[in-house]
Amino acid sequence: MVFDKEESVSLVPLQSKGKPRVCAGCNRRIMDRFMLEALDRYWHEDCLKCACCDCRLGDVGSTLYTRANLILCHKDYLRLFGMTGNCAACSKVIPAFEMVMRARENVYHLDCFACQLCSQRFCVGDKFFLKNNMILCQLDYEGGHQNGHSVGQAL
Amino acid sequence: MMEKLKPELRHLSPKFNGCKSPQHDSLTTSRKSRVSGEGGEAVSETQENTTAASGDTAERKRVPGERCNGTMVVNGVAKETAYHSELKKLVQVIELARGGGSVDIKAREQTADINHKVQTTELCRPPIPLPLASRDPLLSETRMVQLSPLAFPLPARAMLYSNFAQPLATMNSDYGGDTEQYGMYPSHRIKRRPAPYEIEINDDNGSQPKIVRRIFTNSRERWRQQNVNGAFADLRQLIPTHPPDKKLSKNEILRLAMKYINFLAKLLDDQEGEVGGGNGSSAEGAWAPEGHEESLVQEELLQGMLSSSNSSCGSLLGGDGSPDSYTEDQDSSVESRTQTSRVLLPHSGLHMDGRNHR
């Protein structure tokens, strides 16, 4: 069975009276003031690291991802196992962890989401138009005053 | 002329010893006057170099006129960079002013892409030889009247060729030997510095080709370096780190790239094995122990993965849950696991250890 779910990571203080916890990463007792609790185990803060980028999961966020017996951070989990698509503007692959802009069914790189005639990116609230599957700003769209197929609003 | 030049050449380079002919003094004086005559800039540079050159070897003192160059040679990059920006601008002006061929445009595109990244590295590279700056007014081909600062360095080999086509034609084959001699040591660019002002002393008209050639090689080397740096930068973008914009040295880039590649390869192998194992007629019995030991297996795998994080390759071990691997790796030990080997831990062995601790 392959684990494939989010897990929570929580920072807990070392109990002075409880029995000393053993770190699941190095198999040693945890003598630090704080330790991480995840996957029903206890870890040194230094031991719970992403298998890909080696970031300390306690510092990065409160969720860790596990799959194929790997502990991963959110970004690397998407990097390795995320579904990727191609940008509708440049036709290059979009890594799963990257921010994208969506317009109807099209997905764009954040940088690619600009008017395809004047190469101007949009501000929040700007209207953009999709014509022939091309992104146009208001000026370019109205400049051609062709039949507008759809009107969208940049978020 | 060549006889005088060569010993002088060797004399100036830090790696060569000797050069005791009195001719040097005469040559020196003539050069000195020339340098001083070329402008206040050159003189000031010479003076600056002089102060820095006070600690130089006795050989240096023999050619005070060349101190500007000799010092720069000796003092290395730190001194050279002081003039580098000026020289670089000057040279770049030459290159740009000559208009671009296709080669130049290509180079410009390449450099433009990596501009923001390698800008600093450009400055740190060995500078264009000083004589170029001082000799500018003399060179008719350069026409470096406007000194507009250039943002990006251009290899512009084609431009240089077009710039100095005329002097090139007249380049003395004798002088070619000097520069060629040091062409074998692209990294020891200091050694090639003596060539330009060496020529200056001997022949006004012949100096330009040598300087031109020096500029060629400088630009070519710079272009090559930019290429390499650009490739490193591209590779850097593919390596996962935390934080993502962490600065990595070239060595680290290469090692982490190896690590990441091995990690991905192992992941693929494990996933393929997983799929194949699930679909194939693997031993059913192997699955049974897997069920209740799965959580422990995962823990052990993680332990093994994390415990080997101190290795140079880091903890890139993955594992899979296929029954085949459990049975296969019974005898392997956690510590002996390397990146490329199968990850599965001998769960039985570690199982006991875990129990003891708990």
Side-chain angles (χ1 to χ4, degrees), chain B residues 80-148:
Chain B
E80 290 170 337
T81 50
Y83 309 102
H84 178 63
S85 55
E86 287 181 10
L87 300 174
K88 189 169 62 117
K89 290 173 198 172
L90 297 177
V91 174
Q92 288 171 344
V93 168
I94 298 176
E95 297 170 359
L96 281 182
R98 287 300 167 180
S102 60
V103 174
D104 181 35
I105 292 174
K106 208 188 307 175
R108 203 177 292 183
E109 287 173 2
Q110 287 171 346
T111 53
D113 291 336
I114 56 179
N115 259 350
H116 57 289
K117 286 191 179 133
V118 300
Q119 196 62 34
T120 53
T121 54
E122 275 304 311
L123 292 174
C124 293
R125 265 198 241 120
I128 290 131
L130 175 61
L132 175 62
S134 57
R135 201 174 293 103
D136 285 343
L138 298 182
L139 292 176
S140 57
E141 288 76 6
T142 60
R143 294 175 201 155
M144 291 191 293
V145 178
Q146 57 250 42
L147 300 181
S148 55

Side-chain angles (χ1 to χ4, degrees), chain B residues 146-163:
Chain B
Q146 57 250 42
L147 300 181
S148 55
L150 296 176
F152 46 90
L154 293 175
R157 284 175 292 176
M159 301 198 65
L160 283 180
Y161 278 108
S162 63
N163 277 350

Side-chain angles (χ1 to χ4, degrees), chain A residues 1-3 24-25 27 39 41 43 47 51-55 60 66 68-71 75-76 79-81, chain B residues 240-242 244 260 263-264 267 271 274 290 294-295 298-299 301-303 305-306 315-320 357:
Chain A
M1 185 170 106
V2 175
F3 275 102
N27 252 346
L39 302 166
R41 308 246 180 280
W43 310 77
C47 293
C52 199
C53 65
D54 224 29
C55 57
V60 172
T66 177
N69 291 316
L70 291 174
I71 292 190
K75 188 170 178 192
D76 289 331
R79 189 200 303 261
L80 293 177
F81 302 106
Chain B
T241 57
H242 180 73
Y260 189 46
F263 171 73
L264 291 174
L267 191 61
Q271 281 195 328
E274 209 174 289
E290 184 189 355
E294 187 172 353
S295 57
Q298 179 182 357
E299 169 194 347
L301 284 167
L302 295 173
Q303 285 173 358
M305 188 168 57
L306 296 168
S315 58
L316 291 185
L317 299 175
D320 65 34
H357 286 289

Side-chain angles (χ1 to χ4, degrees), chain A residues 86-94 107-109 112 116:
Chain A
N86 285 354
C87 174
C90 60
S91 302
K92 289 189 183 166
V93 69
I94 302 182
V107 188
Y108 302 91
H109 287 118
C112 295
Q116 287 173 332

